[in-house]
């Protein structure tokens, strides 16, 4: 049986295709672009709009079904479900905003947005789980890159919205209903599982650096062109050219498999045939890597032992003593957990609560960014959204790079960076609450970075503590912190405070710092609690990271026999 070695083309082709799918999966970040149209065309109050925003977050982050399905079906099936959800969900929203259908009930629109943004969960799960398994020794870097592109997707859609669609909310919704399915159908063939490499090499490190640099250049380009569009009057041909350059940047990760095709590595793709010690070492390393993905189950051993006859307890104990069967034991942190085994662990819930507090407070600002800008005197909020997306991208990508460096060099748990960024978020929310002149953009940039770090850290941490075998459902359960946080902090708190202040001003819109001041002060307290819990979690899991990264690179855990 042929085994793909490290540096083989298929995983890199899949990673390049995953970039496009992840940008499409970031469609939920477009909500601020058409939220004002929903409010004006359909006559919603701010609290109704924030509840619609909660639907946006629920759909994006409730991924239990794709998490279960990713262990039962190939990635293309998961992507196909996402295609259908995007088409039907955004199609209904387009019918409402374009007024093609009049008087659609509020609950229909709420449900349509849940369906539309739930496509993100299916698309994101398909590509993230597949690529984490294809690159198990570089999971922090891969998670940072892929989640970075999701964070950048808001800026990509903003570019399309401003440069190509002429700031039309109805045209954007039509683009989401048709464009996202086209992208995913085109990339579906390339997203597939590959045999992971048995070890790390320098070429893989260079390839990751190239991908990170390409994504960073794209981020800078998107921010620059968005500012140009808002400060200069650009003609339609120039706008289309700028959008075309963006597409070229998105295609840049394909340079890696193209280079590997034109200039193939001279390393042998098969082991020695003479049974040398080098070949033995390679086989052992390969088998260890495979065990990370599909650990041997002692239940299978016991099942074969029990087949055909009843076995007494004494016989079973004797068989265990002779090594004929392995005794079932619970997994240890760093090994593969089933979901029901992970969910009873204190570290599981500590990570969930820390993530919930971090992303729940951050998504409150994201969902209300347009109204925050207007309240503080910024009528055109496209630059604010683009700045948040750029910073969100930096946080996600940087979380992967920085946490990967320190976990390998100092065995510092990745959750340390969740603690640091949540402390910074306290300062950021106090800046928002103060409404000091000139601080809005700085606070938005800081919050975007810190918000992105929560995603970039949680994903590899969950995989390192609880394994990759059932990673799909575990990380999707973690992501429930996002919609629950949006419901509590955005839908109930921010929406209520805004409408109360607007009522005092006796107008449809609220103006001034008081519109969100109480919300920001509460969120600062939330992040203080989150920083405290993340410190406790970091101390608790430090021994796990010392075990996994003692040699300076990820050590494959032994089979947990569960």
């Amino acid at each position: 049986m042929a085994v793909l070695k490290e540096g083989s083309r298929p995983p890199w082709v899949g990673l390049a295709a995953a970039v496009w799918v992840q940008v499409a999966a970031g469609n939920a970040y477009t909500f601020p672009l058409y939220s004002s149209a929903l409010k004006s065309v359909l006559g919603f109050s701010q609290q109704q709009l924030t509840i619609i925003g909660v639907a946006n977050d629920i759909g994006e982050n409730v991924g239990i079904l794709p998490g279960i399905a990713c262990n039962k079906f190939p990635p293309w099936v998961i992507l196909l479900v996402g295609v259908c959800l995007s088409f039907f969900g955004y199609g209904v929203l387009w019918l409402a905003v374009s007024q093609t259908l009049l008087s659609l009930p509020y609950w229909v629109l709420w449900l349509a947005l849940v369906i539309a943004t739930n496509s993100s969960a299916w698309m994101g799960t398909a590509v993230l789980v597949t690529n984490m398994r294809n690159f198990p020794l570089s999971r922090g870097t891969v998670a940072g890159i892929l989640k970075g592109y999701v964070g950048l997707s808001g800026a990509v859609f903003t570019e399309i919205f401003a440069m190509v669609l002429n700031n039309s909310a109805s045209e954007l919704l039509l683009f989401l209903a048709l464009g996202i399915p086209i992208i995913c159908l085109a990339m579906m063939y390339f997203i597939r599982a590959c045999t992971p490499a048995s070890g790390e090499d320098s070429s893989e490190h260079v390839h990751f650096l190239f991908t990170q640099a390409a994504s960073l250049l794209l981020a800078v380009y998107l921010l620059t062109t968005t500012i140009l569009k808002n400060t200069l009057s650009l003609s339609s041909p120039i706008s289309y050219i700028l959008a075309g350059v963006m597409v070229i940047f998105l295609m840049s990760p394909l340079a890696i498999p193209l280079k590997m095709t034109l200039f193939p590595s001279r390393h042998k793709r098969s082991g020695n045939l003479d049974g040398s010690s080098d070949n033995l070492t390679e086989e052992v390393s390969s088998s260890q890597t495979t065990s990370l993905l599909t650990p041997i189950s002692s239940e299978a051993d016991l099942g074969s032992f029990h087949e055909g006859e009843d076995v007494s307890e004494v016989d079973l104990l004797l068989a265990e003593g002779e090594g004929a069967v392995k005794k079932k034991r619970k997994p240890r942190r760093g090994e593969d957990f089933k979901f029901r085994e992970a969910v009873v662990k204190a570290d599981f819930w500590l990570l969930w609560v820390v993530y919930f507090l971090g992303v729940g407070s951050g998504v409150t600002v994201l969902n209300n960014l347009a109204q925050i800008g207007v309240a503080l005197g910024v009528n055109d909020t496209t630059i604010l959204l683009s700045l948040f997306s750029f910073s969100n991208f930096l946080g996600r990508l940087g979380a992967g790079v920085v946490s990967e460096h320190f976990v390998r060099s100092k065995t510092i748990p990745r959750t340390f960076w969740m603690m640091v960024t949540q402390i910074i978020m306290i300062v950021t929310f106090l800046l928002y609450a103060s409404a000091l002149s000139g601080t809005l953009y700085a606070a938005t940039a800081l919050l975007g970075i810190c918000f992105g770090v929560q995603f970039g850290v949680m994903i590899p941490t969950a995989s390192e503590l609880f394994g990759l075998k059932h990673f799909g459902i575990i990380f999707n359960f973690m992501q429930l912190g996002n919609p629950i946080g949006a419901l509590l902090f955005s839908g109930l708190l921010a929406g209520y405070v805004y409408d109360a202040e607007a009522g005092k001003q006796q107008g449809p819109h609220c103006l001034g710092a008081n519109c969100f001041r109480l919300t920001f002060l509460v969120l600062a307290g939330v992040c203080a609690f989150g920083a405290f819990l993340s410190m406790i979690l970091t101390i608790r899991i430090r021994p796990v990271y010392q075990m996994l990264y003692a040699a300076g690179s990820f050590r494959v855990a032994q089979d947990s026999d569960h």
Side-chain angles (χ1 to χ4, degrees):
M1 176 179 172
V3 177
L4 296 174
K5 302 302 179 186
E6 61 268 32
S8 57
R9 289 185 297 278
W12 292 99
V13 173
L15 186 64
V19 164
W20 284 79
V21 178
Q22 286 289 67
V23 169
N27 58 75
Y29 288 101
T30 62
F31 182 72
L33 295 177
Y34 60 83
S35 62
S36 296
L38 280 176
K39 186 174 183 178
S40 59
V41 172
L42 303 176
F44 292 158
S45 68
Q46 182 62 25
Q47 189 159 24
Q48 284 178 309
L49 188 64
T50 54
I51 295 297
I52 287 279
V54 171
N56 186 76
D57 295 304
I58 289 174
E60 179 190 10
N61 294 283
V62 177
I64 299 299
L65 286 179
I68 295 172
C70 70
N71 273 9
K72 300 180 181 296
F73 301 100
W76 69 266
V77 174
I78 313 300
L79 287 172
L80 189 59
V81 175
V83 164
C84 296
L85 294 175
S86 178
F87 175 75
F88 288 108
Y90 284 115
V92 170
L93 289 173
W94 172 75
L95 291 173
V97 172
S98 65
Q99 296 185 304
T100 304
L101 286 180
L102 300 176
S103 303
L104 282 175
Y106 180 84
W107 69 267
V108 170
L109 296 175
W110 193 93
L111 187 60
L113 188 55
V114 170
I115 292 171
T117 55
N118 194 233
S119 65
S120 301
W122 290 85
M123 297 171 194
T125 297
V127 298
L128 183 62
V129 171
T130 302
N131 280 277
M132 291 278 280
R133 290 173 175 172
N134 287 347
F135 297 97
L137 304 181
S138 304
R139 56 188 71 187
T141 303
V142 170
I145 290 171
L146 292 181
K147 280 299 180 181
Y149 273 102
V150 173
L152 203 55
S153 62
V156 171
F157 285 117
T158 300
E159 183 101 344
I160 294 171
F161 179 70
M163 301 286 189
V164 180
L165 304 178
N166 299 313
N167 297 311
S168 169
S170 63
E171 289 185 19
L172 174 64
L173 290 168
L174 183 61
F175 175 81
L176 294 174
L178 300 178
I180 290 175
I182 290 172
I183 290 172
C184 291
L185 289 172
M187 298 296 131
M188 190 179 291
Y189 173 77
F190 305 103
I191 309 296
R192 52 183 171 176
C194 302
T195 302
S198 60
E200 299 170 324
D201 65 8
S202 57
S203 63
E204 182 174 278
H205 181 64
V206 171
H207 294 158
F208 280 129
L209 283 177
F210 173 81
T211 308
Q212 291 164 342
S215 63
L216 183 59
L217 287 174
L218 172 62
V220 173
Y221 175 80
L222 289 170
L223 182 62
T224 303
T225 52
T226 301
I227 293 173
L228 286 176
K229 179 67 175 177
N230 282 272
T231 54
L232 302 176
S233 179
L234 301 179
S235 64
S236 294
I238 293 177
S239 296
Y240 292 145
I241 290 171
L242 292 175
V245 173
M246 176 192 71
V247 173
I248 294 173
F249 272 115
L250 284 169
M251 294 175 65
S252 58
L254 283 172
I256 295 172
L258 182 62
K259 170 254 182 186
M260 298 173 81
T261 302
L262 298 176
F263 306 99
S265 172
R266 295 185 178 181
H267 294 302
K268 293 182 180 180
R269 293 192 177 277
S270 60
N272 299 329
L273 300 176
D274 57 1
S276 66
S277 60
D278 290 340
N279 187 45
L280 179 62
T281 303
E282 182 180 284
E283 289 176 357
V284 171
S285 179
S286 178
S287 68
Q288 285 182 337
T289 304
T290 304
S291 73
L292 174 66
L293 305 182
T294 54
I296 300 170
S297 172
S298 61
E299 293 174 357
D301 296 328
L302 290 170
S304 63
F305 189 83
H306 284 299
E307 279 180 3
E309 59 177 336
D310 293 330
V311 181
S312 70
E313 187 176 348
V314 174
D315 290 336
L316 185 58
L317 290 173
L318 287 173
E320 288 175 1
E322 294 171 359
V325 296
K326 296 178 181 179
K327 187 176 181 180
K328 183 179 179 180
R329 67 169 175 83
K330 295 180 180 180
R332 292 186 288 264
R333 291 176 301 179
E335 298 175 344
D336 284 314
F337 281 69
K338 296 177 181 177
F339 178 71
R340 65 175 179 270
E341 294 170 332
V343 80
V344 297
K345 296 295 181 181
D347 292 337
F348 180 94
W349 288 106
L350 271 173
L351 181 60
W352 190 92
V353 173
V354 168
Y355 177 75
F356 153 71
L357 296 175
V359 299
S361 55
V363 80
T364 300
V365 173
L366 178 60
N367 285 354
N368 294 277
L369 194 56
Q371 289 71 38
I372 290 170
V374 171
L376 298 180
V378 177
N379 292 320
D380 188 350
T381 57
T382 54
I383 293 181
L384 269 180
L385 178 60
S386 186
L387 179 62
F388 187 94
S389 297
F390 174 75
S391 303
N392 186 15
F393 158 77
L394 288 181
R396 294 176 185 225
L397 183 68
V401 174
V402 174
S403 69
E404 194 78 10
H405 170 74
F406 281 98
V407 79
R408 290 172 183 265
S409 61
K410 306 291 185 183
T411 64
I412 295 176
R414 299 182 195 273
T415 50
F416 172 80
W417 304 105
M418 296 181 86
M419 178 185 70
V420 171
T421 50
Q422 289 193 15
I423 291 172
I424 297 173
M425 289 173 77
I426 298 171
V427 178
T428 303
F429 285 126
L430 293 178
L431 275 177
Y432 274 119
S434 68
L436 295 175
S437 177
T439 60
L440 176 61
Y441 291 100
T444 301
L446 274 176
L447 186 68
I449 291 172
C450 297
F451 180 68
V453 168
Q454 311 305 308
F455 289 90
V457 166
M458 180 276 288
I459 291 170
T461 300
S463 76
E464 286 161 337
L465 293 180
F466 306 111
L468 283 171
K469 186 172 177 62
H470 300 281
F471 172 68
I473 186 171
I474 288 173
F475 108 86
N476 273 301
F477 186 87
M478 289 284 175
Q479 290 204 140
L480 290 176
N482 195 320
I484 294 174
L487 175 63
L488 295 178
F489 304 136
S490 179
L492 300 181
L493 174 64
Y496 173 79
V497 171
Y498 182 95
D499 284 341
E501 291 295 328
K504 292 178 183 178
Q505 297 178 13
Q506 297 181 343
H509 302 291
C510 181
L511 300 176
N514 287 336
C515 300
F516 291 96
R517 176 169 285 153
L518 178 59
T519 300
F520 291 139
L521 293 176
V522 171
L523 295 180
V526 164
C527 287
F529 184 52
F532 173 72
L533 291 181
S534 58
M535 179 182 67
I536 294 175
L537 177 60
T538 301
I539 294 171
R540 282 178 56 90
I541 64 177
R542 180 70 189 274
V544 182
Y545 279 85
Q546 288 173 334
M547 179 269 292
L548 292 176
Y549 289 94
S553 61
F554 186 82
R555 184 181 73 80
V556 178
Q558 299 297 317
D559 294 341
S560 56
D561 299 324
H562 66 286

